[in-house]
Amino acid sequence: MKILVPVKRVPDYEAKIKVNSEQDGIVTDGIKWIVNPFDEIAVEEAIKLRDSGAAEEVIVVGIGPEDSATQLRYAMAMGADRGVLVKHDGFVDSSLASLVLAEVYKRGEYGLIIMGKQSIDSDANQTAQLLAERLELPQACFASKVEIGEGTVAVTREVDGGLETIKVSTPCVISTDLRLNEPRYASLPGIMKAKKKPLDEFTFADLGVDDQIQVKVLRMSPPPARSAGKKVEDVAALVSALQNEAKVI
Amino acid sequence: MSGSVLVFVEQVEGVVQKSGLVALQAAHELKERWGLSSVSTVTLGKGAQRAAQSLLQYSTTNAYFSEDSSLESYQAVTYKAAFVDAFEKASAVVGVAAATSTGKDFMPRVGAQISAGQASDIIRVNEDGSLKRPMYAGDVLADVEILSEKKLVTVRVSAFAPLEPSGSSDGSVVDLEFSQSEAAAGEVINFEVSGGDRPELTEADVVVSGGRAMQSSENFEKYIYPLADALGAAVGASRAAVDSGYAPNDWQVGQTGKIVAPNLYIAIGISGAIQHLAGMKDSKTIVAINKDAEAPIFEVADFGLVADLYEVVPDLTEKIKGVKAG
């Protein structure tokens, strides 16, 4: 079975994200790009499944400008077998991403798609679900545990109220949550090997996909600042402040 | 725009959930802002009919419901199909659901089926009709426009007040007469409830959260729970605390966990990573207790106490009990 793992390039989550002066995007100068942490978890899970014998190949796919190939190479350095880059310089929303990924899926023979539940830039949490519907596949989102069976997979999902375990038939789309695994760091030998692994490139035209988004960002702004707080001396002072100043108790 | 708004309202055993009333509030704002004709609702699963009946008090035109056996336990494919059925019957152009794990799970599938773009986790309907939503863990607020003719919106539960009943009930309860035609995609084999009689995290007025400094789930019980009990609060946790097994996954407050905005949020032994702040920085009053005076949590705290939580939390609990008693 081959596993397809979509991987998105996002700004490092430890970076201070600033809105640009035109208020229509973020400042990208000096941004450190990383693999979306949830997608990294997806890559890790796919590699573990391959290494356990449940799959034979892990293919990572990204959509973005030429230099986002770096993130695909990182995933290959972790252990993915090969990569696919769909080159595109413009903004890609969840809908467009799902259309592109569906076309990539159809051009291979995959038994499973594993991807992050959301990307930490748009925080939309849609692409996995959209992709599953477009491909008419079952989904198992927000996975904290994955167990492959015969033609099925049992997935424990983190939902409001607790943990739900469902069994769905494969192929299916799984979206990863934080606690599914702890991704390995790419080793130096891994990085060297990754340089030689195949990376195929496609354009939207190759896939027959129109560059059309469904949700447009009109403007961006920083969140309102909270007014400065104060330190209190001790518990008594805190209780007094809560009672008399904030009036919350 | 012409057409109606259809709202998915979560219900449990016939009782409408607060998240559903929040979605309804946002739906009415969208109706006003976008000039739509009416607001209808859809409730699914056991008790859906009773829930639909109660929704007539909320200016609902048609309260669709289905208690079909295929809807008994939640499944994305089935709920999507039922929602789409109601969407068509309601002549809806806009679909709304709260951004609960259910809403997040099935709404995008609706979007793919009916070619509707979705704005996720909105926090405001702007005057110009655009929708405000957080990005980059809340470091950016984006005003977005959905370009497709049909539009879907999921609503951040902490960002809107639940709709109040209007008292009038001009609407009708309508049986969807839904039956699942798409093949059942899977089955639920287990549900592990996180337990507790505490208020639900996203609905509580007061939240007390513990961080990695709690060091064990026993310490959560010993220090956090009594304080939460004294305040009638829900209990939350930082990602680090959940990862370490001190608290269950659905107590995690943060960018990728629960987003809360209670009247009072008390962060105990939590350093205040960006991802955690994203989940609680809209709380009205924030208190932080941490040994480290430089902890980032103090940047958002209205009141900060630099102290060893093991020393001060029991004292705080006692004093609060005293305030509540007298």
Side-chain angles (χ1 to χ4, degrees), chain A residues 117 121-124 126 129 133 137 139 161 163 165 167 179 214 216 218-219 221 226 230 232, chain B residues 80 104-105 109 120 133 136 141 143 145 147 187 189-190 192 252 255-256 281 283 302 304:
Chain A
K117 75 170 183 181
D121 50 3
S122 63
D123 285 326
Q126 291 185 36
Q129 297 88 307
E133 182 64 20
L137 296 180
Q139 69 187 45
L163 296 170
T165 305
K167 191 156 81 162
R179 276 165 283 278
Q214 281 185 328
K216 183 169 165 197
L218 300 173
R219 71 194 79 91
S221 57
R226 278 187 86 95
K230 65 178 189 187
V232 292
Chain B
K80 170 220 62 164
K104 290 192 268 205
D105 197 55
R109 288 195 84 124
S120 301
R133 64 174 302 270
Y136 299 92
L141 295 183
D143 293 329
E145 184 189 350
L147 302 176
E187 49 173 326
I189 54 185
N190 189 44
E192 196 181 299
Q252 179 181 327
Q255 174 192 17
T256 61
K281 64 186 171 146
S283 306
D302 297 295

Side-chain angles (χ1 to χ4, degrees), chain A residues 87-160:
Chain A
K87 277 193 301 190
H88 186 69
D89 289 325
F91 176 70
V92 178
D93 69 354
S94 311
S95 172
L96 185 52
S98 69
L99 286 168
V100 172
L101 294 172
E103 291 308 311
V104 172
Y105 176 87
K106 288 181 205 164
R107 281 163 174 70
E109 301 232 348
Y110 300 98
L112 189 59
I113 300 173
I114 311 182
M115 57 195 287
K117 75 170 183 181
Q118 72 196 63
S119 59
I120 61 168
D121 50 3
S122 63
D123 285 326
N125 193 330
Q126 291 185 36
T127 309
Q129 297 88 307
L130 286 164
L131 183 54
E133 182 64 20
R134 297 204 196 281
L135 295 173
E136 291 176 35
L137 296 180
Q139 69 187 45
C141 295
F142 329 138
S144 63
K145 188 158 165 227
V146 170
E147 268 175 52
I148 293 269
E150 284 298 318
T152 62
V153 57
V155 178
T156 301
R157 309 174 54 223
E158 298 202 0
V159 296
D160 298 337

